[in-house]
Amino acid sequence: MSVQDTAATQVSTTEEQSDRWEPVRPLPPSCKLVVKTLDNHDRLTQQQLAAETLLATRTVREAVSRLEEQGVVDSRVSFLDARKQLYQLTI
């Protein structure tokens, strides 16, 4: 593989990553922080997100709602506690 091929591959990978984050770009910083936190973890509850991000639970709830509307985050019922939702990235 030549140097040009390697550079082209790196540019292609960078473009794919930037496309991945495109739905998140216009959202507020709280949404971006929640997304980045979920990117570093597999699945988290709202309480866990609040603890990890140091955001208020209300702010996390609003951020997650916006992210679900955008199709960036998916929620599922926790098997350990059916009262809680687990959130994970879909992008």
Side-chain angles (χ1 to χ4, degrees):
M1 185 179 260
S2 71
V3 173
Q4 291 176 344
D5 291 338
T6 304
T9 302
Q10 289 175 347
V11 169
S12 171
T13 303
T14 304
E15 288 174 1
E16 289 172 7
Q17 289 175 350
S18 66
D19 290 341
R20 175 181 180 212
W21 300 113
E22 194 62 36
V24 179
R25 291 193 196 285
L27 297 175
S30 58
C31 292
K32 293 174 185 172
L33 181 58
V34 168
V35 166
K36 193 61 180 170
T37 303
L38 286 172
D39 192 37
N40 292 332
H41 297 82
D42 188 31
R43 294 182 186 116
L44 294 175
T45 65
Q46 181 180 328
Q47 288 178 336
Q48 291 169 325
L49 279 167
E52 287 287 325
T53 60
L54 301 178
L55 294 171
T57 54
R58 180 178 178 178
T59 304
V60 171
R61 184 172 51 248
E62 290 174 4
V64 167
S65 294
R66 280 187 157 184
L67 292 166
E68 283 183 310
E69 289 172 4
Q70 294 292 322
V72 176
V73 169
D74 185 33
S75 65
R76 296 173 188 222
V77 175
S78 170
F79 290 117
L80 299 176
D81 188 347
R83 298 171 294 174
K84 296 182 181 182
Q85 297 283 322
L86 288 172
Y87 299 99
Q88 67 181 24
L89 282 182
T90 59
I91 57 172

